[in-house]
């Protein structure tokens, strides 16, 4: 499949490696706001950390148009069978893995279509793997091993924007024709300059100098939540503002499935449970079955014809 027409134009090929910085990265620059942090009383210490997080939200808000561009570019590829592939190291990589694994219980998104590549592998999710992020070649190898192609969307995360592992993956993703979305916390970073869609979350210096698990990480988490959730809404995983394509994998989610069905249809609990039991707790199917007063087979057929859109299935329209 050729890249979507909504994708940003290709830029020059990804940089082979990060160039030495002429000046310290903003994320590494010591904060001038709290030079005596170690002497703060506990309430003041907590206030300093909490207050600083507002900068994370402001950084994401400033990048909202780039996030929207990423969503628009990603949806056609994902709808055509592509995958979301997250790549990162350290905190950034763990945030990518977290976003990937939460898509299945939240949206019934297939596990094999949301992949997290973390420098250092599985072990690095739980403890630091020293030096793993420094290998440009390993980034290439891991990305190529995932068999990425032109339908896939590769989200490359690096607070510095210059992590060699991520840049290696970027180079391989571009060569494979995948859509590349670069997310960094420093302006004009190699990962954003090399990606088709650049998202800069300019969070500046940290309360604890260089600790980008703080507001840089918060900004990345907000951006990922926004990006993947917006994609899922566009893929008909949400009806109104209800999470109607969840996987009820535990007692809490079973209760949530019942509650969502009741809220969407106005049905009582017994009727909601009966409809859900008949369709193996597929909330979408239960909603259409109740509101259109058809059996679950007919409800599923309506949803299939509407490409999974509950609204279109109820209105008898093509989405």
């Amino acid at each position: 499949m050729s890249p979507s027409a909504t994708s940003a134009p290709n830029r020059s090929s990804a940089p082979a490696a990060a160039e030495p910085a002429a000046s310290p990265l903003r994320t590494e620059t010591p904060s001038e706001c709290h030079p005596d942090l170690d002497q703060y009383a506990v309430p003041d210490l907590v206030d300093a950390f909490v207050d600083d997080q507002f900068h994370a939200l402001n950084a994401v808000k400033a990048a909202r148009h780039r996030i929207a561009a990423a969503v628009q570019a990603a949806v056609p590829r994902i709808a055509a069978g592509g995958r979301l592939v997250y790549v990162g190291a350290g905190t950034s990589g763990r945030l990518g893995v977290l976003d990937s694994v939460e898509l299945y219980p939240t949206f019934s998104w297939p596990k094999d279509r949301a992949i997290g590549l973390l420098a250092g592998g599985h072990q690095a999710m739980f403890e630091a793997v020293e030096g793993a992020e420094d290998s440009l070649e390993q980034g290439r190898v891991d990305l190529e091993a995932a068999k990425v192609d032109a339908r896939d969307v590769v989200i490359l995360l690096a607070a510095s924007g210059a992590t060699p592992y991520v840049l290696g993956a970027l180079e391989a993703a571009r060569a494979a024709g995948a859509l590349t979305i670069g997310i960094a916390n420093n302006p004009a970073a190699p990962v954003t300059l090399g990606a088709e869609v650049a998202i800069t979350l300019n969070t500046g210096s940290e309360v604890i100098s260089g600790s980008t698990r703080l507001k840089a990480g918060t900004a990345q988490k907000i951006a990922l939540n926004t990006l993947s959730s917006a994609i899922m809404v566009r893929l008909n995983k949400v009806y109104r503002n209800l999470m109607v394509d969840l996987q009820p994998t535990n007692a809490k989610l079973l209760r949530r499935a019942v509650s969502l069905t009741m809220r969407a249809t106005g049905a009582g609990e017994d009727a909601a449970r009966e409809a859900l039991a008949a369709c193996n707790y597929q909330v979408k199917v239960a909603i259409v079955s109740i509101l259109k007063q058809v059996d679950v087979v007919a409800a599923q057929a309506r949803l299939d014809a509407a490409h999974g859109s509950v609204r279109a299935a109820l209105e008898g329209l093509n989405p």
Side-chain angles (χ1 to χ4, degrees):
M1 171 189 165
S2 62
S4 162
T6 59
S7 301
N10 285 343
R11 299 180 183 176
S12 58
S13 59
E19 294 293 331
S23 59
L25 297 172
R26 294 187 185 180
T27 51
E28 303 291 334
T29 302
S31 171
E32 297 180 358
C33 296
H34 303 283
D36 298 317
L37 186 72
D38 59 335
Q39 298 184 46
Y40 284 14
V42 170
D44 295 330
L45 187 60
V46 170
D47 280 347
F49 285 117
V50 172
D51 290 346
D52 202 48
Q53 296 299 305
F54 286 102
H55 295 295
L57 181 58
N58 289 333
V60 178
K61 189 171 182 179
R64 64 191 182 278
H65 299 302
R66 301 307 303 152
I67 297 171
V71 173
Q72 291 174 331
V75 167
R77 300 197 191 214
I78 300 299
R83 300 170 296 169
L84 288 166
V85 181
Y86 301 75
V87 183
T91 297
S92 297
R94 294 183 191 101
L95 288 170
V97 171
L98 179 63
D99 202 66
S100 74
V101 300
E102 289 184 341
L103 294 181
Y104 174 72
T106 308
F107 300 110
S108 295
W109 189 248
K111 295 177 182 178
D112 61 355
R113 293 183 65 191
I115 301 170
L117 301 181
L118 177 60
H122 184 268
Q123 178 187 354
M125 193 68 194
F126 306 99
E127 59 183 85
V129 177
E130 299 300 333
E133 68 180 57
D134 296 330
S135 176
L136 192 80
E137 181 60 25
Q138 192 61 52
R140 290 196 199 100
V141 168
D142 287 355
L143 200 288
E144 289 169 357
K147 301 187 186 307
V148 165
D149 64 30
R151 296 174 301 171
D152 294 328
V153 175
V154 181
I155 302 168
L156 302 122
L157 299 146
S160 69
T163 305
Y165 177 86
V166 176
L167 295 180
L170 169 60
E171 186 177 294
R174 291 292 301 272
L179 173 68
T180 52
I181 300 171
I183 301 179
N185 295 85
N186 285 292
V191 73
T192 49
L193 292 175
E196 290 181 67
V197 182
I199 299 173
T200 299
L201 308 172
N202 189 6
T203 46
S205 59
E206 299 283 358
V207 171
I208 298 177
S209 301
S211 182
T212 52
R213 73 179 186 87
L214 298 175
K215 70 170 175 283
T218 300
Q220 288 185 1
K221 180 70 170 85
I222 297 171
L224 289 173
N225 282 349
T226 303
L227 176 61
S228 62
S229 297
I231 289 171
M232 292 298 140
V233 172
R234 281 289 167 262
L235 294 175
N236 299 320
K237 298 291 185 179
V238 172
Y239 170 54
R240 290 164 30 187
N241 68 338
L242 303 177
M243 190 175 74
V244 294
D245 215 1
L246 80 164
Q247 278 291 324
T249 53
N250 57 36
K252 177 190 72 176
L253 292 176
L254 282 169
R255 291 192 298 272
R256 186 172 296 167
V258 173
S259 175
L260 287 166
T261 303
M262 293 170 63
R263 182 177 292 274
T265 64
E269 182 173 348
D270 290 344
R273 287 186 179 276
E274 182 179 351
L276 285 164
C279 63
N280 195 27
Y281 279 78
Q282 298 177 77
V283 176
K284 281 183 169 185
V285 178
I287 291 170
V288 175
S289 175
I290 291 170
L291 290 179
K292 299 304 291 187
Q293 297 184 336
V294 297
D295 62 27
V296 296
V297 174
Q300 183 65 67
R302 280 178 168 268
L303 281 164
D304 291 343
H307 304 292
S309 167
V310 173
R311 191 177 295 277
L314 292 174
E315 296 174 355
L317 302 172
N318 289 324

